[in-house]
Amino acid sequence: QVQLVESGGGLVQAGGSLRVSCAASGRIFSPNTLGYYRQFPGKQRELVARMTSGGIAVYADAVKGRFTISRDNAKNTVYLQMNSLKPEDTAVYFCNAVLGGVWVYWGQGTQVTVSS
């Protein structure tokens, strides 16, 4: 079993920055992908950014150039630095882990609110 514990998030003004992090514990093995999805009210979760254990990152077009994903493989922790935040970034952000391309796990979600 794998547990994902998220931290960070909160309320920030437009143009500000926030960092969220997610620590994975349990039966973690490589290859794996850690990342974040977000969910707007009434919508399905959508990818924000993800990074493989080999260091390959993928970003949603909406966040390219503003968000940066990184990870510490020794700690099985992924970080999402969010800069130049916009009100439309307001959502619940969910940590996601995919192990071996098959097993998928989700964090509990953290609210990010950007005020205008």
Side-chain angles (χ1 to χ4, degrees):
Q1 192 57 272
V2 172
Q3 295 79 41
L4 302 177
V5 178
E6 303 178 41
S7 59
L11 174 65
V12 66
Q13 288 189 332
S17 298
L18 280 175
R19 189 175 85 156
V20 291
S21 61
C22 173
S25 61
R27 296 185 177 181
I28 308 295
F29 60 88
S30 295
N32 62 71
T33 300
L34 298 178
Y36 275 92
Y37 286 67
R38 63 186 180 185
Q39 189 168 22
F40 303 109
K43 302 289 187 179
Q44 289 188 332
R45 292 179 192 180
E46 61 179 42
L47 174 70
V48 178
R50 63 175 185 255
M51 179 174 275
T52 68
S53 46
I56 298 173
V58 173
Y59 293 91
D61 287 343
V63 306
K64 283 181 181 176
R66 299 188 299 122
F67 292 11
T68 302
I69 191 167
S70 61
R71 57 185 289 172
D72 184 334
N73 287 338
K75 297 180 179 179
N76 289 320
T77 299
V78 63
Y79 306 94
L80 183 67
Q81 177 67 41
M82 302 181 287
N83 298 329
S84 302
L85 282 160
K86 305 175 182 180
E88 51 264 42
D89 294 316
T90 296
V92 179
Y93 285 68
F94 292 90
C95 180
N96 169 267
V98 181
L99 308 184
V102 176
W103 291 275
V104 180
Y105 299 91
W106 293 97
Q108 77 277 12
T110 187
Q111 177 71 45
V112 171
T113 302
V114 185
S115 63
S116 57

